[in-house]
Amino acid sequence: MNQRGREAAVRQILERRPVQVPPELCADAMRRGGRMLRRRTAARQLMWLVLLAAVIAFVVWATMARPWVEPPSETTPPLTGW
């Protein structure tokens, strides 16, 4: 399609009568958007709650296990010079 053909097609589209929008479309869109927003907010809160639980579990484990402390020796050094 050349330039004039495209321009003619665009003019034809623009000269048409606008499509009638159903009156309940706005209310449906608002309801769906509100539902999506509530789900997204709930998912975000759940993720923060899971993250907080993981941090608390890690802190409790770290205080109980003390991974930064060297474990005690299992064997005793040889005793010489008695």
Side-chain angles (χ1 to χ4, degrees):
M1 192 179 260
N2 60 11
Q3 178 87 16
R4 288 184 184 175
R6 282 184 281 187
E7 288 177 1
V10 169
R11 278 194 198 99
Q12 185 181 12
I13 291 171
L14 291 176
E15 290 173 354
R16 289 185 196 162
R17 195 172 63 112
V19 178
Q20 293 293 327
V21 178
E24 68 274 356
L25 184 65
C26 180
D28 290 344
M30 293 290 289
R31 189 176 62 249
R32 288 180 184 163
R35 189 180 323 144
M36 285 175 43
L37 186 61
R38 284 190 301 275
R39 285 181 182 170
R40 191 175 299 149
T41 303
R44 189 178 302 125
Q45 288 176 348
L46 180 66
M47 285 191 314
W48 278 111
L49 184 66
V50 168
L51 179 65
L52 179 67
V55 167
I56 290 172
F58 175 76
V59 168
V60 168
W61 170 81
T63 56
M64 300 294 278
R66 294 183 166 191
W68 56 87
V69 176
E70 185 176 328
S73 178
E74 295 293 326
T75 61
T76 58
L79 292 175
T80 58
W82 274 76

